[in-house]
Each structure stands twice: as structure tokens, then as C-alpha cells.
Amino acid sequence: MRKHSTPATLRLLAQGGFAVFLVWTGLRFLDHVRWALGQSEVWTPKPPAVEGFLPISALMAAKRLLFTGAYDPIHPAGLTIFLALLAISFLWRKGFCGQLCPVGLLSNLLERLGRRLGVVWRPGPFARRVLAAPKYLLLAAFCYVTFSMGAQDIEAFLRAPFNMVADTKMLLFFQQPSALSLGVLGLLAAASVVIPAFWCRALCPYGALLGLFSWLSPSAITREEAACIGCGRCAKACPVGLPVDALRRVNSPECQGCAECVGACPVAGCLGVRFAGLRLPWWSLAAGSLAVLLGASVLADALGFWQSPIPAPMVRRMHMLLLGQLPDF
Ligand code: SF4
Ligand code: SF4
């Protein structure tokens, strides 16, 4: 591996590539929505990947799958992506958060800006715990609501017209944000300049869930104590402020699997990735995460768990009924 192929550059490439894919997906979805709202007669199928932006619907569908064995009939790709992210977290820690997530890319860029401006604040151990608490509380609230719903309520939610057009509503939220939404996004961006990965560390309940799965993972960043010179560069490079230089195995649910610590270590072979005791190259976290996501989508497509089964006329009827009064966009 040449010197410029560092974890930081690979991470930026993976995050950037995934962001480009999502922009392409978003543009195709826009064409689909124009057709569904009767603003165009050119039918564009809905790109299944947009359903990945519906985690609450996927959580409900996961409960339904658990108790009935039936797959989500409305947003099958959403459930597939949800299950794939859980599998990634189990196998490759929070590799999705650290290597692919578009919010992770924004956080990465804002952290770099903060470092340039010299305004980065690194919370100590107590502040780190306080900072991480809200996302676990949010996750607990979502799980409580989902798991206290009966089978009929879940069925009613999944089949409700609102859920059928939920991905379109999500698109409209990003396309026509209110002043309040823009203000909140601005505050989150400013916070991320000062506190690296602020959204991921403090507020993302999806990341909290993935973190809990990653706790059980056989993979982790490990440190060879005999080789370590105690320079502390690994801990300084860690976006979530983990004390990598004091741990033999980084088993925290906060670890994003970004491998930035490995790239910062000046001693070859001191920090690395281990999977069930087996030493793997640092890029295995990114490659493994991408492979699971791609593999899950290909397998789901072959099994009929990827494309939405809702007939096109029904999709249009639902859109016209619930959202048809919108101006052209
Ligand atoms: S411990 Fe290493 S891999 Fe985990 S979040 Fe920190 S820098 Fe990234
Ligand atoms: S960067 Fe490497 S050598 Fe320095 S403290 Fe961390 S593990 Fe030890």
C-alpha cells in the first residue's frame, strides 16, 4: 500500500463515492415523484435505496418480521438496508457510520474545518458520556413505542397511506426546508465544527442502535502494548475522542470503525484491525462494510425483498390523494 493510501484518504473516498451514489439516487427519485404527482408522464421506477431513509418504518417492519416471519410489503428495501446495517455493525463495528454514511462525510469535513480553525473541543471522559446520552434516550423512546405497539397497530402503521408516501415526504423535507429546519441544521453544523462528529456522538439514535450491535462484534481496533511508544496520536486523531492509547482492544459502542487512529500511529503494526483474533488490513472495515451492503441488496433483489411491490397506478393514486396539491418542482 503506497503512503498516500491512508485510512483518512480511503475514508474520504468511500464517503464521497457513497454520497455521489445517493445524489444520483435522489435525482432518480425526484423524477419518480414528478411522475407520481402527475407533473410528468415519463415513468421512472422508485430507486429502492431511498427507503434507507425511513428507519422508523424499518424498525416497525423488523418487529413484524420477528413476530410473524413476514417481510415488509411496503418498503422492503428499507427493511433490507436496516438489517444489512445491523449485520455490518456486528461484523465490522460501526463501519457504515465511519466509512459510508453521508452525515459522517459532513461531520468529517466539518471536523477538518474545526481543526484548521483551531476551535476543536475534546470532551473529557465524563463530558463524553453526558454527550452520548441523548441518542440512547432517543433510541430507547423509539424502541419503547415500537415494541409496545401490538401486531394490528404495526400492520395499520405499515399499510397506512402516510407510510406509503413517507419517502416522498422525506424528499420534500430536504427540498423545501422550513426556516426552523435550516436554523437547526445550521446549529448542528456549527456544533460539529467545535465538537467532532457532534450529531453522531450526541443525537443519532440509528448510530446508537448500530453501536449496541457493534459491542458484540468479533472485530475491533487492537493495540500492541509492547510496540506502543505512548505518543497519544491515535487518541488525538479519534473523531469520537476514545482513549485508544490506553486500551488494548477498542470495544466501545462509540467506535465508528473509521481507522483514523491506525493512520495516525507512527509505529508500523502497533495499531490494527483484528477479527476474532485474526489480524486484518485496516481497509477491511471499509471493504467489509461495503461488501455487506452490496451483497444484501443483490441477495434481497434475487429474493424479491428489494423492489417495492406496490403497483404503479396505486403509487400515483396515493401521491395525488395525499400530496397532489403541490406546485411543480
Ligand atoms: S477508535 Fe479508531 S476506529 Fe474507532 S472511532 Fe476512534 S479513530 Fe475511529
Ligand atoms: S499512536 Fe501508536 S504508538 Fe502512539 S500511543 Fe497510539 S498506539 Fe501507541
Side-chain angles (χ1 to χ4, degrees), residues 164-203:
M164 287 192 197
V165 299
D167 34 22
T168 300
K169 282 188 164 281
M170 189 66 80
L171 176 76
L172 296 174
F173 171 79
F174 285 114
Q175 259 216 326
Q176 301 157 3
S178 64
L180 179 67
S181 310
L182 284 175
V184 171
L185 290 176
L187 276 177
L188 289 174
S192 303
V193 174
V194 180
I195 304 174
F198 177 74
W199 168 261
C200 317
R201 293 169 79 166
L203 295 170

Side-chain angles (χ1 to χ4, degrees), residues 222-225 227-235 244-247 261-262 264-267 270-271:
T222 58
R223 184 175 63 94
E224 304 296 331
E225 277 182 303
C228 178
I229 57 172
C231 66
R233 289 191 204 178
C234 48
V244 189
D245 53 344
L247 302 167
C261 52
V262 180
C265 181
V267 181
C270 180
L271 273 183

Side-chain angles (χ1 to χ4, degrees), residues 60 63 143-155 157:
M60 303 244 181
K63 179 184 171 184
C143 288
Y144 174 76
V145 170
T146 303
F147 283 89
S148 60
M149 279 171 83
Q152 280 184 342
D153 292 338
I154 295 256
E155 201 65 36
F157 175 91

Side-chain angles (χ1 to χ4, degrees), residues 67-308:
F67 289 101
T68 67
Y71 219 77
D72 187 346
I74 308 300
H75 298 301
L79 178 56
T80 297
I81 293 166
F82 180 79
L83 296 176
L85 297 195
L86 297 185
I88 289 173
S89 305
F90 175 67
L91 291 171
W92 305 109
R93 306 209 68 86
K94 284 163 73 176
F96 176 77
C97 304
Q99 305 281 355
L100 299 172
C101 177
V103 181
L105 171 63
L106 284 177
S107 294
N108 189 356
L109 296 176
L110 291 169
E111 178 189 349
R112 284 163 184 254
L113 177 64
R115 284 185 197 220
R116 267 204 187 182
L117 297 175
V119 295
V120 170
W121 175 58
R122 298 192 169 280
F126 178 71
R128 264 205 321 270
R129 284 193 195 103
V130 172
L131 195 61
K135 68 174 184 275
Y136 291 108
L137 292 175
L138 283 171
L139 174 65
F142 284 127
C143 288
Y144 174 76
V145 170
T146 303
F147 283 89
S148 60
M149 279 171 83
Q152 280 184 342
D153 292 338
I154 295 256
E155 201 65 36
F157 175 91
L158 291 177
R159 293 187 184 274
F162 174 87
N163 185 44
M164 287 192 197
V165 299
D167 34 22
T168 300
K169 282 188 164 281
M170 189 66 80
L171 176 76
L172 296 174
F173 171 79
F174 285 114
Q175 259 216 326
Q176 301 157 3
S178 64
L180 179 67
S181 310
L182 284 175
V184 171
L185 290 176
L187 276 177
L188 289 174
S192 303
V193 174
V194 180
I195 304 174
F198 177 74
W199 168 261
C200 317
R201 293 169 79 166
L203 295 170
C204 180
Y206 212 159
L209 178 65
L210 300 184
L212 295 179
F213 269 76
S214 77
W215 228 343
L216 309 168
S217 178
S219 67
I221 299 289
T222 58
R223 184 175 63 94
E224 304 296 331
E225 277 182 303
C228 178
I229 57 172
C231 66
R233 289 191 204 178
C234 48
K236 219 171 154 195
C238 178
V240 290
L242 293 172
V244 189
D245 53 344
L247 302 167
R248 285 182 66 186
R249 186 176 194 273
V250 182
N251 201 31
S252 166
E254 300 298 313
C255 174
Q256 300 197 336
C258 65
E260 295 270 2
C261 52
V262 180
C265 181
V267 181
C270 180
L271 273 183
V273 177
R274 278 191 190 273
F275 188 99
L278 192 73
R279 187 125 196 172
L280 295 181
W282 53 261
W283 46 263
S284 56
L285 293 170
S289 302
L290 194 57
V292 173
L293 199 53
L294 285 176
S297 61
V298 171
L299 183 67
D301 201 18
L303 295 174
F305 296 152
W306 190 243
Q307 306 288 343
S308 173

